[in-house]
Amino acid sequence: MPTPSGPAATGPTEPCPDPAAPPEPTAPAPSSPGTGYRLVFAVPEFRSVFAAHLLSALGVVVCELALSVLVYRLTGSPLLSALTFALGLLPYVIGGTLLSAIADRCPARRVLVVCDLLCAGCAAAMVVPGTPVAVLLALRCATAAIAPVFAGTRAATLGDVLGEGDLFVLGRSLIRIVNQSAQLVGFAAGGLLLAAVTPGTVLAITAGTFLGSALLLRLGTRARPARRTARGALLGTSLSGTRRLLADRRIRALLLLTWLPPTFVVVPEALLIPYADLLGVGPAGAGLLMCAMPVGAITAETLVGTFLGPRARARLTFPLGVFCVLPSLGFAARPSLGWAVVLLVLTGTGIAYNFGVDRWFVAAVPDELLGQAMTVMQAGRMTIMGLGMGAAGVAAEYAPLWVAMPAGGVVGVVCVLLVVAEVRRTRAGRPVLAGPAE
């Protein structure tokens, strides 16, 4: 399959080489330390997308927390309460495969606004007194099925707004920073709100955040035509587009590189509550463990995006992709609370490997499939992370935690190294693209 250049770039950009390729004799393009993120925020349309994502990301986290509390109060069942979080991952595969073509066959702004309005409607419906628990869980599934379509469309929109060069990569980095920050701020804010008002009131507030996001996207972004004018049923178009993406060896390898490291990173994360219990550190210690990985991720994203140029970030892709699954090996030594926090912070820093993957991926995907490709990427990542969490739980049922947690690291290193080798092989034989290519 040819590898077109993707969305038009907004300005001159430098090539970003694959680490597998030999170094070129030409000097690397100069970077501007400390100015990268400011250049992204200088684009007015991106500011609207960023602010909208901040609202919707906080809304999702607070909604999950409030709904979990509401279900527990209605049923007294820890299982059903925990299920509200699990349902935030499982339907991703449905939206990411059966609905993925929406991202390209409909105008992007319309898709984003409608997704936000649907999420607002689901949150508002949860507030209705007397709503059965089964309906509450079904509404949670609906928002989770919408999420990958929204995320994929937004990612493709960044290509339209920022081009496919370094600004696009930095814009994607800022979206990841928001996602990690929302985990920290959202749970804290949700906890404070739930201490002051009822879960129904908190859900009503989250409906307002989705409406605010829709308004920002409607008024702050340009109307653009759909990327493709496909005919036929949505299901058939979605499945055929997904098959076309997966049939390309380069795209398939990059998808695996996006999916596999997070799959093994979540193994220790999924077992932190029982590990905190093993240490006897109580709820405060458990909370500290849960915060450690996002803190490492936010720190690494910010430092790498601020102080390193495109070439340096690209050369870190493979080392960081492997490194992020290595710290879990340290749990074999049964670390104390402090050392466990250090291991988790180091694990979080590996998220910076996405800088290089994002750029290679957008260069490899045909422009007319960019929205669907981003949707499939997001859906696959969340689905396989959910499976990784489930596998970690099963392993911990049959093996001690200090065996199950590092075992994920051992398997992860092997799998990631195999995928890295495949990405290197698919780079061979591809022409060096002019401009913001690989």
Side-chain angles (χ1 to χ4, degrees):
M1 185 190 302
T3 55
S5 59
T10 55
T13 54
E14 68 282 3
C16 188
D18 190 313
E24 298 178 7
T26 56
S31 60
S32 301
T35 62
Y37 287 127
R38 287 203 294 271
L39 290 175
V40 177
F41 280 117
V43 180
E45 201 171 353
F46 175 79
R47 293 198 296 269
S48 296
V49 174
F50 179 85
H53 180 58
L54 183 61
L55 280 176
S56 62
L58 286 172
V60 168
V61 174
V62 174
C63 180
E64 287 180 345
L65 182 59
L67 183 60
S68 178
V69 172
L70 178 61
V71 169
Y72 183 73
R73 289 184 181 178
L74 291 174
T75 65
S77 170
L79 174 61
L80 290 176
S81 178
L83 191 59
T84 61
F85 287 101
L87 291 176
L89 295 176
L90 299 179
Y92 263 78
V93 69
I94 299 173
T97 53
L98 305 185
L99 306 176
S100 57
I102 293 176
D104 292 314
R105 65 188 289 175
C106 299
R109 186 176 70 175
R110 184 187 306 167
V111 173
L112 294 174
V113 171
V114 169
C115 285
D116 266 334
L117 292 177
L118 289 173
C119 289
C122 289
M126 295 174 187
V127 181
V128 177
T131 303
V133 172
V135 175
L136 292 175
L137 296 179
L139 291 169
R140 181 70 189 98
C141 285
T143 59
I146 293 168
V149 177
F150 181 88
T153 306
R154 183 192 57 231
T157 298
L158 289 182
D160 297 327
V161 173
L162 301 173
E164 69 165 12
D166 199 45
L167 288 186
F168 171 83
V169 175
L170 291 171
R172 288 273 291 165
S173 171
L174 285 167
I175 294 299
R176 288 193 297 271
I177 290 174
V178 169
N179 290 337
Q180 296 294 328
S181 302
Q183 295 295 317
L184 300 175
V185 178
F187 281 124
L192 291 174
L193 285 171
L194 288 169
V197 296
T198 65
T201 303
V202 177
L203 288 170
I205 293 173
T206 63
T209 65
F210 289 122
L211 290 175
S213 174
L215 186 64
L216 283 168
L217 292 169
R218 178 63 181 81
L219 300 180
T221 60
R222 288 173 45 198
R224 294 180 173 87
R227 284 185 172 78
R228 56 190 303 204
T229 55
R231 297 182 179 274
L234 173 62
L235 175 59
T237 305
S238 297
L239 292 177
S240 64
T242 301
R243 284 195 297 268
R244 182 181 170 190
L245 291 169
L246 295 179
D248 184 281
R249 186 179 178 185
R250 174 68 171 174
I251 295 174
R252 187 171 63 247
L254 290 172
L255 283 173
L256 288 173
L257 186 57
T258 303
W259 294 342
L260 284 182
T263 303
F264 296 100
V265 162
V266 299
V267 169
E269 188 177 30
L271 301 175
L272 288 181
I273 298 301
Y275 191 76
D277 182 63
L278 180 68
L279 295 178
V281 295
L288 185 61
L289 290 172
M290 296 296 291
C291 291
M293 201 178 292
V295 167
I298 294 168
T299 302
E301 284 273 353
T302 304
L303 292 177
V304 172
T306 301
F307 295 108
L308 297 184
R311 289 180 179 274
R313 294 196 298 263
R315 295 188 187 283
L316 283 175
T317 300
F318 293 154
L320 285 177
V322 175
F323 172 77
C324 67
V325 298
L326 287 176
S328 61
L329 299 177
F331 283 96
R334 308 185 196 183
S336 63
L337 176 63
W339 284 111
V341 168
V342 171
L343 291 173
L344 293 167
V345 169
L346 290 174
T347 299
T349 62
I351 194 176
Y353 89 97
N354 284 289
F355 278 102
V357 181
D358 280 343
R359 188 149 190 184
W360 303 336
F361 190 73
V362 76
V365 173
D367 182 50
E368 72 273 12
L369 288 178
L370 183 59
Q372 184 169 6
M374 289 295 185
T375 302
V376 170
M377 174 193 281
Q378 178 71 3
R381 180 191 290 121
M382 298 302 288
T383 301
I384 202 167
M385 283 173 62
L387 294 174
M389 289 179 178
V394 172
E397 287 289 326
Y398 297 98
L401 291 176
W402 58 86
V403 173
M405 296 170 85
V410 173
V411 178
V413 168
V414 174
C415 292
V416 174
L417 285 174
L418 290 174
V419 172
V420 165
E422 176 66 4
V423 173
R424 288 178 179 273
R425 284 192 293 267
T426 59
R427 179 62 177 84
R430 291 237 170 189
V432 176
L433 303 179
E438 299 173 45

